[in-house]
Amino acid sequence: MCDECRDGPHADVERVLISSEQIDARLCGMALEIADVYAGQDAGLTLAPVMSGAIVFVADLIRKLPLKMKLAMTHVSTYPGATTQAHPPRVVVEPVGDLAGRHVLIVDDILDSGSTLRRVRAMAQERGALSVRSAVLLRKPGKAPPDVPVEFVGFDIDDLFVVGYGLDYDDHYRNFPHVGVLRAGLMP
Ligand code: IMP
Ligand code: MG
């Protein structure tokens, strides 16, 4: 990353929780963990990124994955507009791509209550996936329900509302290169 963009354009971010350098290093480890599980499988691998939050994570992760793979994007909306209160996940676009008879790895930015992943897992199973696993960049511990297994986790974080590296508040800050916390007063 060039020096000029390292700090990003967002004076609204009060502090960086996880830097882009830390994320990059962890993604190398995650890619190896994922490759260990899927290498040598007969059926193909499809990654199903959950838009829009997973956009940056999946772009970086797949370039570190030494595996043949396909993508099946899906779009789920959980926090519509200027809110930090989750709404029931609304499927805006169902997975577009090959899931039937394939190993499906759902990729999302963060596991909070687990309702988004629960919904996408069910869609993958209904579409005939051979296996369904999940990878998230962030997990808020204590909130992940036992019926929503997540096999690959980048970082466990405290129960804070975070932005950057694909995560948004009111659809802003996805382009902030690190994971950070907004200044007080910007969110309800
Ligand atoms: P869950 O369905 O409650 O697990 O929430 C997952 C979705 O909510 C994620 O894919 C995010 O889009 C969004 N989300 C949850 N926590 C945060 C946060 O701290 N910042 C931004 N988005 C979040
Ligand atoms: Mg999301």
Side-chain angles (χ1 to χ4, degrees):
M1 188 185 298
C2 58
D3 287 344
E4 289 75 13
C5 352
R6 188 173 304 274
D7 293 327
H10 299 303
D12 291 354
V13 178
E14 182 181 81
R15 77 189 156 97
V16 168
L17 211 62
I18 308 170
S19 71
S20 59
E21 291 79 6
Q22 289 172 295
I23 295 171
D24 189 65
R26 179 67 192 110
L27 261 49
C28 293
M30 284 186 90
L32 291 178
E33 290 167 24
I34 293 167
D36 267 357
V37 171
Y38 291 104
Q41 300 272 358
D42 286 340
L45 172 65
T46 294
L47 266 67
V50 184
M51 294 294 118
S52 301
I55 188 168
V56 183
F57 177 37
V58 75
D60 283 350
L61 183 67
I62 60 174
R63 285 177 291 171
K64 297 182 190 294
L65 263 188
L67 294 176
K68 218 170 156 182
M69 48 141 295
K70 294 184 178 185
L71 274 185
M73 302 266 195
T74 181
H75 186 180
V76 178
S77 169
T78 319
Y79 285 61
T83 178
T84 57
Q85 297 301 310
H87 289 233
R90 186 172 66 87
V91 179
V92 182
V93 180
E94 297 223 358
V96 181
D98 276 354
L99 301 188
R102 297 181 63 83
H103 296 292
V104 172
L105 178 63
I106 300 166
V107 180
D108 205 358
D109 50 2
I110 188 164
L111 175 72
D112 187 1
S113 71
S115 58
T116 303
L117 281 186
R118 186 183 291 116
R119 186 73 191 272
V120 180
R121 286 181 69 86
M123 285 197 290
Q125 271 148 359
E126 282 158 21
R127 295 267 295 265
L130 206 58
S131 69
V132 183
R133 295 185 179 86
S134 304
V136 295
L137 178 71
L138 305 173
R139 177 172 62 183
K140 294 182 184 173
K143 297 185 89 181
D147 68 309
V148 185
V150 176
E151 289 76 8
F152 308 99
V153 177
F155 302 87
D156 279 315
I157 61 166
D158 291 337
D159 189 9
L160 295 166
F161 195 84
V162 291
V163 298
Y165 200 77
L167 292 121
D168 74 301
Y169 169 64
D170 196 15
D171 228 9
H172 286 128
Y173 311 113
R174 295 192 197 276
N175 57 326
F176 185 63
H178 319 282
V179 172
V181 179
L182 287 178
R183 280 192 289 109
L186 288 174
M187 292 183 313

